[in-house]
Amino acid sequence: MSDLITGETGDWEVVIGLEIHAQVTTKAKLFSGAPTEFGAEPNTQVSLVDAALPGMLPVINKEVVRQAVRTGLGLGAKINLVSVFDRKNYFYPDLPQGYQISQYQQPIVGEGEVEVELEDGSEKSIGIERLHLEQDAGKSVHDLHPAKTYIDLNRSGVALMEIVSKPDMRSAAEAGAYVRKMRSILRYLGTCDGNMQEGSLRCDCNVSVRRPGEELGTRCEIKNVNSIRFVQQAIDYEARRQVEIVEEGGEIAQETRLFDPNRGETRSMRSKEDAHDYRYFPDPDLLPLEIEQSFVDALAADLPELPDAKKMRFVEQYGLAPHDADQIVEDRETAEFYESLAEGRDAKLAANWLLGELFAALNKSDNTLADSPISADGFGRLLDMISDGTISGRIAKDVFVEMFESGRDAEAIVEEKGLRQVSDTGAIEALVDGVLAENPDKIAEYKGGKDKLFGFFIGQVMKKSQGKANPALVNELMRTRLDG
Amino acid sequence: MSLDKATVQNIAHLARIRVEDERLDAMVGELNAILGWVEQLSEVDTDGVPPLASVTGHGLPMRADEVTEGDLSEKVLANAPDPAGQFYSVPKVID
Amino acid sequence: MADLLDLSLVEARAALDRGETSSVELTQVYIDAIERGAGLNAFITKTPEKALAMAEASDVRIAAGEAGAMEGLPIGIKDLFCTEGVLATAGSHILDGFKPTYESTVTANLWRNGAVMLGKLNMDEFAMGSANVTSYYGPVVNPWRAQDGGNAQLVPGGSSGGSATAVSGRLALAATGTDTGGSIRQPASFTGIVGLKPTYGRCSRWGVVAFASSLDQAGPLTRDVADAALMLGAMAGHDPKDSTSADLAVPDFSAALTGDIRGLRIGVPAEYRMDGMPGEIETLWQKGVQLMREAGAEIVDISLPHTKYALPTYYIIAPAEASSNLARYDGVRFGLRVDGDSLDEMYENTRAEGFGPEVQRRVMIGTYVLSAGYYDAYYVKAQKVRTLIRRDFDQAFETVDAILTPTAPSDAFAIGENEDDPIKMYLNDVFTVPASMAGLPGMSVPVGLSDRGLPLGLQVLAKPFDEATMLRVAGVLEQAADFDAVPAYLGGGT
């Protein structure tokens, strides 16, 4: 593929691995009974455990374990029946314990794989190295006081799944597709809401460059990128930066970097430059986490249909093009909307209208399907009116615009505006005859071989009918008159 | 394995404990004495012996996913040395 | 009626039930005793008003016939337990001004059972010490004096030194302690009282300032074995807030004190006979063995081959856990903050000033043994040896019901002694640490006096969660030994 970066001295390949931090959808935190809601007043969702007061102890939330196992199953990954929580020791004011409880040597989920669809329609398999559970840190607020950093521990102790990919991606676009796919799977499973703006899904990007086929280069880690667009921008910038350095004879320093979305640049994080020595060891406040195979099996049996399976089914059952199916299944709600729309209808027509009109209108109005003023049922009845000939496809587009703006029913709009398609042969014959009578010269030209004028005659009839004439009938009758 | 001053300074920094230069020599000596003494563990044959994971013999208990705490901000902030409204505060951190 | 201070916990409970005294009267006697005993420096915080208020409430419950197991009994609390609204220091400068907004499970259990809180007891800083000389609040003085012509102030042992002195010197009817490597048992031996460390998991660690999480256990320090049984029952129990707490019913420990050990098999481990051990310790041990035999127990020679490695193992694992547990003392959310120009300076200043030398030493050792490149050689190696130590005990307990050993390798020493040599100080715990490493219950019972007239205890160990058998053996040992010496502070000796 043409994903190589062309430098001054030749081509370079970028190698990308991603660590996705996904907030586990739960009511309470990983090791405490404090709530996890987003956007609360500072330090109001902090238990004594989350603030690491002396003598406080962690007790694990069972739902987190369940969700992690379900996620592992959704990624086709190995579930480890024994896993261990370790302490990752470092000092930072938003880390109240002075250590993060994480899983280091024995994570709950091992290797897996996800298929991502690339823009050219091809598919690529990205390896998953592991998934482990860990605590989120609190938030440091740097801009409220000139000389102080303020600390809010609301997020402290929130359960995260860290999903580590293998360094299998070779372009920003692949990375973007991978994050999109991962988010899609998590949302299907209901294990993470995937909301990147609120930080429930964040990305650390490990980026290095090399000559194609050569050894891996030194990597830099870009921390905490919080949108797919930024992931791609950050990787593109970082890859170019590294190519420039290497081509100028420099060396890449292995370091942690931060992406600045305003400037579209990555920069070194000075505060993280300290050589880290996390001194991992098993948390003695917790025991090894042991789960039964039967528990895993029960969760596996209860897993919802995931995007890949759904896509295959849509292609087979509805005859959709793979690319259309991809778009529809990315989001579970969209897929459900589609299925309810396609039920008992022309499935391809349904896909075209969903991906065409409805998505365009939603995009334009900056809305998502959840905010759509048109329900699947209402949308379906519009399609029904096309299929049964009540209105033409052309008129349907106008009706759609009206429905989207007003939220009214298709039937009501069609009735009120008198948009029913005219399929009365006599009425259409009258229109056809009228048009022919008005254009004797054109008839002559047509008979003289100017076939293209056929379209002109049809257009005139449609115009006279204000678009309501059944185009197939018009066509048929015109053909009889002119060629018959 | 014997610690030198630089290593001890590095450990002190990892542990975030200031060690004044005049105390450093004494500390190097003390730590080396202790490490030298625990060195006797190398006599023990531990081939094939698993590290002890826990002495309790029971599994990891789990909590139900329930919010059991309300707003405890008063309690968690009660002992803060330099609170700023609803926040804890520390000297400015530069990222 | 005899002096109220002479009553044991069990006796005082009975006296309260019979209406011979009130909790308020009893509590006032102890408040006065604490005042008289200020020179022993056993208390960091006294809570007389709270004590009297609790005593009044106890008297109401006693009158209503609703007395709990510890109803109306005034006790001291080691300052490692968080008690709501009362300063908690852990013996450290770094917890300056820290008043917990919560109550530890163990103290909550005690209050629910009716106990009355006299105050918070002095201790080695963060429970790190064997002489109670590392406290920011100064050393605790042992109520005993040696009969050697000198008049040196002696250490009470540690880390629960304040607890041991308070019970031995009758400044409290009983006290809570915590034991990580011997911190209940060794001071009990040094002060002539009973100290019991339960099985790891028997008492909740929630709300107790952590030293080494895989080892810390709370337990009672009492005047006699019956008191220990009563108080352990009131402290113990499953706590869903502590993942390492055992979900087991608490037996009636008092009922276990049958006074009959006939046919019980008691192990005597060869490896506890150590080089350089004073002859009087060996003599005491033999006396204990003889008493057990006379009481009808079968004495069995056993081997615990990895005994000598327990202490160095402990001095890797405990500091490693402590280095991490003590990271939360960073000047951000509670306790001492010493300002600095940057965040790191603030951390380093706070922790340099806030932690004393022994705590710093252990945090440094712990940091080092966990650091990159050394983790396997030290920490993992130690955890493997710990497995072997545990196996030694498991094997021994296949043939014996309990084990009898000395508690400590010496009697109490003078304040200031052993302080220049950390390792010499560490050796105090040579007999108590192995059971800690294995998570076993152990208790010290006073059995005799040293040549210098100082108390010496013997240690009884039992299988995990078999405190009942341990108490039964200890009860018989206590009765047979008939230890009735009185510390100098209470007029004994001279």
Side-chain angles (χ1 to χ4, degrees), chain C residues 151-325:
Chain C
N151 197 27
Q153 289 192 330
L154 305 178
V155 302
S159 67
S160 308
S163 305
T165 281
V167 175
S168 168
R170 298 191 177 173
L171 312 187
L173 253 176
T176 63
T178 62
D179 188 315
T180 304
S183 281
I184 288 174
R185 292 162 285 166
Q186 182 256 16
S189 178
F190 275 23
T191 57
I193 62 170
V194 170
L196 186 156
K197 180 198 97 80
T199 313
Y200 182 82
R202 180 64 93 181
C203 285
S204 168
R205 295 185 297 113
W206 194 89
V208 184
V209 173
F211 161 17
S213 307
S214 75
L215 296 154
D216 297 343
Q217 261 299 292
L221 291 100
T222 55
R223 288 190 204 164
D224 60 33
V225 174
D227 284 6
L230 173 66
M231 187 158 161
L232 175 61
M235 294 169 71
H238 176 238
D239 181 4
K241 291 189 287 190
D242 173 0
S243 300
T244 61
S245 165
D247 191 2
L248 292 174
V250 179
D252 182 346
F253 294 122
S254 299
L257 302 175
T258 59
D260 183 359
I261 58 165
R262 282 174 298 173
L264 221 54
R265 295 168 66 89
I266 295 179
V268 177
E271 291 80 4
Y272 280 57
R273 197 160 288 117
M274 289 186 170
D275 292 347
M277 185 167 88
E280 60 187 8
I281 302 292
E282 169 72 27
T283 306
L284 181 88
W285 191 12
Q286 288 317 313
K287 175 183 167 189
V289 169
Q290 186 55 30
L291 293 174
M292 295 285 90
R293 193 178 281 125
E294 284 164 9
E298 184 186 340
I299 302 301
V300 181
D301 286 327
I302 58 167
S303 173
L304 300 167
H306 296 92
T307 297
K308 76 174 270 208
Y309 300 109
L311 205 55
T313 301
Y314 175 86
Y315 274 96
I316 290 171
I317 291 169
E321 294 182 8
S323 71
S324 178
N325 282 335

Side-chain angles (χ1 to χ4, degrees), chain A residues 167-209:
Chain A
D168 285 353
M169 286 155 277
R170 294 292 176 270
S171 71
E174 286 185 17
Y178 169 77
V179 179
R180 206 172 295 117
K181 185 58 175 286
M182 189 61 75
R183 187 174 61 172
S184 169
I185 293 171
L186 296 174
R187 294 182 56 174
Y188 265 75
L189 292 164
T191 57
C192 169
D193 68 18
N195 190 328
M196 297 189 80
Q197 272 170 340
E198 292 180 1
S200 5
L201 194 78
R202 312 191 293 266
C203 243
D204 294 348
C205 315
N206 288 297
V207 180
S208 62
V209 296

Side-chain angles (χ1 to χ4, degrees), chain B residues 1 3 11 13 15-16 18 23 30 41 43-44 46 49-50 52 55 58 61 75 79-81 88-89, chain C residues 99 101 243 309 331-334 337 344 348-349 351-352 360-361 368 374 381 383-384 386-387 390:
Chain B
M1 275 180 272
L3 305 185
I11 299 165
H13 179 65
R16 296 297 187 275
R18 175 182 308 290
R23 259 195 66 210
E30 288 163 9
L41 290 190
E43 301 163 19
V44 186
T46 52
V49 178
L52 192 79
V55 293
H58 64 85
K75 284 191 170 188
N79 284 287
Y88 298 103
S89 85
Chain C
K99 288 188 179 172
T101 54
S243 300
Y309 300 109
V332 177
R333 296 167 319 286
F334 45 78
R337 171 183 295 191
D344 271 349
E348 293 185 346
N349 292 343
R351 291 165 61 83
Q360 291 191 21
R361 199 151 40 226
Y368 180 69
Y374 301 99
K381 177 77 180 183
Q383 289 289 22
K384 288 178 176 176
R386 194 174 176 186
T387 298
R390 170 73 185 227

Side-chain angles (χ1 to χ4, degrees), chain A residues 28 32-33 43 60 142 149 151, chain B residues 63 65 68 86 88 90 92-93:
Chain A
S32 83
N43 290 310
I60 195 167
H142 303 296
T149 292
I151 308 297
Chain B
R63 259 179 332 110
D65 182 28
T68 53
Q86 284 278 94
Y88 298 103
V90 295
K92 190 112 183 161
V93 181

